[in-house]
Amino acid sequence: MKKVLIITYYWPPAGGPGVQRWLKFVKYLRDFEIEPVLFIPENPTYPLTDKNLEREVPKNLQIIKRKISEPYSLAGLFSKKETETISSGIIAEEKNQGLLQSLMLYIRGNFFIPDARKFWIKPSVKYLINFLKKENIETIITTGPPHSLHLIGLNLKKELSITWIADFRDPWTQIGYHSKLKLSKRAQKKHELFEREVLNSADKIIATSHTTKAEFEGKTKKPVFLITNGYDEVKFSEPVIPDENFSFSHIGSLLSGRNPKFLWENFRELIAEDAEFKNSFKLRLVGKVSPEVIKSIKANKLEDHLELIPYVSHMEALKLQRKSQVLLLLEIDSIETRGIIPGKIFEYLNAKRPIMAIGPKKWDVQKILKETGAGECFEYTDKEAVKIQLKKLFSEYKKGALISEPKNITQYSRKMLTGKLANLLK
């Protein structure tokens, strides 16, 4: 088998969406005659953990762990806040930031370039030069964020005759929060320099959305490939029965940037207009929810219909998706987020429940929903169109005909996507 070294920060027991992509690739790579070898930090700082994911790690997998020095003795003052905002692609509006938060964002942006894991670069490169030679591994993959891992790949590429693939789960300088980091001109240029070096030095680049692929193709002549995130087949011990209520569920963090106030207004209006809707409607939010979002929901007098569920395991999240009558997919309304395809959309597709998505104009999600017929995508200016759709969905629910039969979703299965990755590696 061909050996490939994968350098990643997030690995079980890390929870959340960041770990899913490479856990699933590693799970299936051996089916394509490729033996993965993992390089991960020995003492990482994970904001979320899900020990159930450890069961999916293949047996006899070679995992190399090396200590990482993260400046979280200082950054701990703001790392929790950063985790809730930056790593999710959301930064609270400046008016809502305290002086300490503003200061820490300045420090984060100008002193930890490209990110707070920068101190892992030099010791990792020093160790891996000898390791790659000893193991006779000629191909490496780096995945970010954190984008400092791409700098490990960049330095290894300079030292060794290897093939290097850089996988971008999110953009770098185009990501929504980048402009909120209070960067000096010098810091901004340094970010751009690092990004340009990585894009022009890697042998191949992988993006997870059409928009990011196009942005990178405008910055490099190196080949850029699209491999989205996906879904994995799952078996439940018992059948999952949809809710009796007309339930709308959002699974995953819902922070202040993703707050469709007009949707809460529509729910309030329909409750006032239709007694049947009032008696049937439930809004279920699973995961961390911003106080600002809760405030907006309560302002529309929806608290009696609201069910809040804290962070759950990935398996439990999959069950809740299948229970829901309608699945909500929400994204920040900005140009920078057009290329963000939340990983949950692929699991939503496989859950086979109708999807209502609300996000920016020309959002890549719209293309996926149109191709699969799995739901409808709206902009933040579509209040009336959304209300019409809500009435349509409720009418189908009352008839017992609220179903979703998406087409051509096997292209997003984790095993199929791993096949695309294997072709790049070979």
Side-chain angles (χ1 to χ4, degrees), residues 173-174 195-196 199-200 214-221:
T173 57
Q174 266 72 43
E195 180 187 49
R196 189 162 57 247
L199 292 176
N200 289 305
E215 287 173 349
F216 285 164
E217 286 174 335
K219 295 182 176 184
T220 182
K221 292 182 179 179

Side-chain angles (χ1 to χ4, degrees), residues 154 183 341 350 389 397:
L154 177 66
L183 298 173
I341 303 177
N350 196 39
Q389 179 67 5
Y397 159 78

Side-chain angles (χ1 to χ4, degrees), residues 126-137:
K126 183 178 179 181
Y127 173 82
L128 287 173
I129 286 175
N130 294 324
F131 177 80
L132 290 168
K133 288 178 180 178
K134 179 183 175 184
E135 295 289 322
N136 196 28
I137 297 176

